[in-house]
């Protein structure tokens, strides 16, 4: 059976790439992405290969193509991924998506979140912060809840419009040979036919089980956290059942904690489960129902219909370096963080923008100076190590200690009562202080700097 036509959620089907005979690159008439490149200026070098057609890979490819750098995107799947994954877009990320022209369309499909709230299990509000405090620091003073599968079709459409991108579905990377002047990639299509092509650089955005990372001989073992996650999905309108419930709510209580996220057409409840707890016990329908009942005050849980429940692991990982010769790494191929705060995918999109900009500069300046690229890669790694990982882990630290939890709740109340402290909290929670600067108009980094003078 051949590959299915890639179909984004709610979108039209796209013609998949025609299979290329072994040893031959896909020609212009076989491309998923095609068009004239005349408006983009000279592009004499071979295309950069981007491995992975997820949000990070497509964003990086779009940044490169918009800079006039031809790209070939290689995706082992037969279509864009549609399963439920990351669903949070922070203000800093929306600023960058606006720069590349997809933020407005994404917002139309998502749920705008204007406040973050902390509650106890009885429904009393500990503290609440309003994203309006970020007005002046960002063009998007809110958080957006929408499935990442809604973003990738928008990126693919924008990439199509550049006319200098070649996106190949069903293309699995099987080998990578460093040549000094680039990388020779070997690929295999769904029918088992082999091909190879030479690229000046390869950007690995192929996820936490990165094949490129394995081929480069780089370490890939993640350190699991003491907990794993249970995600419960319901189509019940929780904000109607629980008065005043924000679309981003953290229940923090000595009796138990849960995170509630309001999506455009459903709600997600995220529970942290001790790692040694058998997953079949956790996923037992009666056990899931009991958790939901306890998590929502006033009997609201009994009115909730559970439409899905599944578990996923929580782990941390950071590559010792984001480069091996001409192979570069971004997103989950380079780092994993706790899902608390929804930072990992956002950080990966920031990787894509900053690395894409730097690589485009190297390829278009004509002198071969890689200093901007090395600086960008080192900067991206440093941000994960010094900001993203600590901030994500701090979100759930001490939840099992009544004394530590009481101290954290008291600190949250003090923060909410102080506009300057509340603004600082939201700036850091949104990565506005460490994200790449948008290039249209006044940058948010300048505004952050002004706010702290």
């Amino acid at each position: 059976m051949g590959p299915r036509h890639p179909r984004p959620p709610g979108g039209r089907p796209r013609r998949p790439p025609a299979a290329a005979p072994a040893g031959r690159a896909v020609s212009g008439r076989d491309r998923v992405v095609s068009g004239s490149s005349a408006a983009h200026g000279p592009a004499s070098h071979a295309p950069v290969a981007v491995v992975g057609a997820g949000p990070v890979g497509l964003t990086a490819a779009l940044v490169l193509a918009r800079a006039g750098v031809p790209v070939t995107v290689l995706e082992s799947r037969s279509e864009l991924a549609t399963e439920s994954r990351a669903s949070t877009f922070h203000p800093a990320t929306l600023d960058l998506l606006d720069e590349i022209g997809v933020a407005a369309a994404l917002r139309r499909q998502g749920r705008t979140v204007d406040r973050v709230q902390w509650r106890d299990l009885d429904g009393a509000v500990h503290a609440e912060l309003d994203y309006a405090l970020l007005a002046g620091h960002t063009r998007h003073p809110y958080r957006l809840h929408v499935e990442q599968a809604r973003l990738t079709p928008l990126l693919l459409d924008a990439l199509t419009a550049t006319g200098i991108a070649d996106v190949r579905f069903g293309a699995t990377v099987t080998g990578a040979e460093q040549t000094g002047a680039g990388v020779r990639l070997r690929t295999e299509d769904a029918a088992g036919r082999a091909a190879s092509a030479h690229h000046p650089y390869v950007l690995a955005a192929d996820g936490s089980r990165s094949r490129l990372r394995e081929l480069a001989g780089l370490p890939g073992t993640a350190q699991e956290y003491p907990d794993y996650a249970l995600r419960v999905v319901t189509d019940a309108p929780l904000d109607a059942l629980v008065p005043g419930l924000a679309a981003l709510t953290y229940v923090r209580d000595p009796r138990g904690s849960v995170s509630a996220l309001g999506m455009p057409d459903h709600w997600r409840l995220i529970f942290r489960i001790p790692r040694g707890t058998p997953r079949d016990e956790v996923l037992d329908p009666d056990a899931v129902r009991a958790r939901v009942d306890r998590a929502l005050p006033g009997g609201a849980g009994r009115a909730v219909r559970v439409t899905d429940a599944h578990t996923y692991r929580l782990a941390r990982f950071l590559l010792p370096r984001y480069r091996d010769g001409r192979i570069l790494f971004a997103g989950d191929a380079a780092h994993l963080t706790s899902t608390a705060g929804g930072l990992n995918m956002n950080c990966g999109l920031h990787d894509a923008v900053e690395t894409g900009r730097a690589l485009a500069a190297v390829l278009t300046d004509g002198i071969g100076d890689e200093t901007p690229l090395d600086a960008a890669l080192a900067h991206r790694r440093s941000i994960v190590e010094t900001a993203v990982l600590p901030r994500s882990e701090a979100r759930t630290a001490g939840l099992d200690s009544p004394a530590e939890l009481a101290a954290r709740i008291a600190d949250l109340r003090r923060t909410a009562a102080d506009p300057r402290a509340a603004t600082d909290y939201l700036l850091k929670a949104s990565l506005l202080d460490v994200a790449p600067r948008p290039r249209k108009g006044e940058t948010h980094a300048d505004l952050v700097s002004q706010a702290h003078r």
Side-chain angles (χ1 to χ4, degrees), residues 9-385:
R12 64 185 186 281
R14 304 184 193 284
R15 181 172 60 85
R24 181 177 71 81
V26 178
S27 70
R29 65 176 178 273
D30 295 325
R31 292 175 180 173
V32 171
V33 178
S34 61
S36 171
S37 61
H40 298 273
S44 58
H45 44 74
V48 169
V50 176
V51 181
V56 174
L58 290 175
T59 297
L62 182 55
V63 170
L64 288 164
R66 287 270 175 80
V69 177
V71 290
T72 297
V73 179
L74 303 170
E75 170 55 53
S76 60
R77 294 172 180 260
S78 61
E79 59 185 350
L80 295 174
T82 59
E83 63 264 30
S84 177
R85 290 188 176 179
S87 60
T88 293
F89 293 86
H90 287 295
T93 306
L94 293 171
D95 285 346
L96 296 173
L97 293 177
D98 190 31
E99 178 186 317
I100 60 177
V102 298
L106 185 66
R107 185 184 181 186
R108 288 192 290 271
Q109 300 184 58
R111 178 169 183 168
T112 299
V113 179
D114 60 3
R115 59 197 168 107
V116 54
Q117 185 180 87
W118 291 264
R119 288 175 165 244
D120 66 18
L121 285 172
D122 298 320
V125 175
H126 296 308
E128 188 171 284
L129 302 181
D130 194 326
Y131 275 94
L133 290 167
L134 295 180
H137 301 282
T138 169
R139 295 185 185 85
H140 303 85
Y142 50 83
R143 174 166 152 160
L144 188 69
H145 286 176
V146 62
E147 299 276 4
Q148 73 174 47
R150 297 286 178 176
L151 173 64
T152 47
L154 301 176
L155 294 169
L156 185 57
D157 281 343
L159 193 57
T160 302
T162 68
I164 55 171
D166 179 1
V167 181
R168 307 182 187 188
F169 290 92
T172 300
V173 174
T174 59
E177 177 189 357
Q178 302 264 5
T179 66
V183 182
R184 181 163 294 282
L185 285 183
R186 294 189 299 277
T187 59
E188 189 174 280
D189 68 13
R193 291 172 292 198
S196 68
H198 190 269
H199 305 275
Y201 291 91
V202 174
L203 178 61
D206 52 344
S208 61
R209 294 180 175 85
S210 171
R211 175 62 171 155
L212 264 297
R213 194 175 62 214
E214 179 183 343
L215 290 170
L218 296 176
T221 303
Q223 174 190 349
E224 290 199 13
Y225 286 107
D227 301 331
Y228 62 92
L230 166 67
R231 178 159 55 199
V232 178
V233 179
T234 177
D235 55 8
L238 295 190
D239 46 350
L241 296 172
V242 181
L245 185 72
L248 174 58
T249 294
Y250 299 108
V251 175
R252 298 294 181 251
D253 192 295
R255 295 166 290 176
S257 296
V258 62
S259 302
L261 283 73
M263 302 296 293
D265 57 358
H266 67 272
W267 280 76
R268 296 177 175 186
L269 297 172
I270 313 296
F271 300 87
R272 296 200 165 232
I273 311 296
R275 193 168 62 200
T277 308
R279 298 194 182 216
D280 56 347
E281 293 180 10
V282 172
L283 291 172
D284 177 81
D286 291 337
V288 171
R289 164 56 53 199
R291 287 186 190 277
V292 172
D293 287 348
R294 290 194 300 269
L296 299 173
R302 290 189 290 276
V304 169
R305 184 172 74 100
V306 173
T307 59
D308 183 40
H310 56 271
T311 61
Y312 55 92
R313 75 167 186 161
L314 301 171
R316 65 174 285 163
F317 169 74
L318 182 60
L319 266 182
R321 61 185 186 277
Y322 283 13
R323 177 176 185 176
D324 181 71
R326 293 294 186 97
I327 302 176
L328 319 175
F329 295 87
D332 287 1
H335 54 76
L336 288 175
T337 71
S338 162
T339 58
L343 300 182
N344 198 64
M345 180 192 65
N346 286 265
C347 180
L349 292 173
H350 302 174
D351 292 346
V353 171
E354 188 165 354
T355 304
R357 288 174 179 173
L359 181 55
V362 168
L363 290 170
T364 58
D365 68 7
I367 61 174
D369 181 9
E370 292 188 320
T371 301
L373 179 59
D374 288 331
L377 295 170
H379 185 235
R380 293 311 313 158
R381 187 187 184 283
S382 174
I383 284 171
V384 175
E385 185 173 38

Side-chain angles (χ1 to χ4, degrees), residues 419-430:
R420 184 178 179 86
T423 302
D424 185 67
Y425 180 97
L426 291 173
L427 286 170
K428 292 176 178 175
S430 303

Side-chain angles (χ1 to χ4, degrees), residues 136-137 420 442-453:
H137 301 282
R420 184 178 179 86
E442 190 174 28
T443 68
H444 68 88
D446 291 336
L447 292 164
V448 169
S449 176
Q450 293 168 15
H452 286 77
R453 288 175 186 168

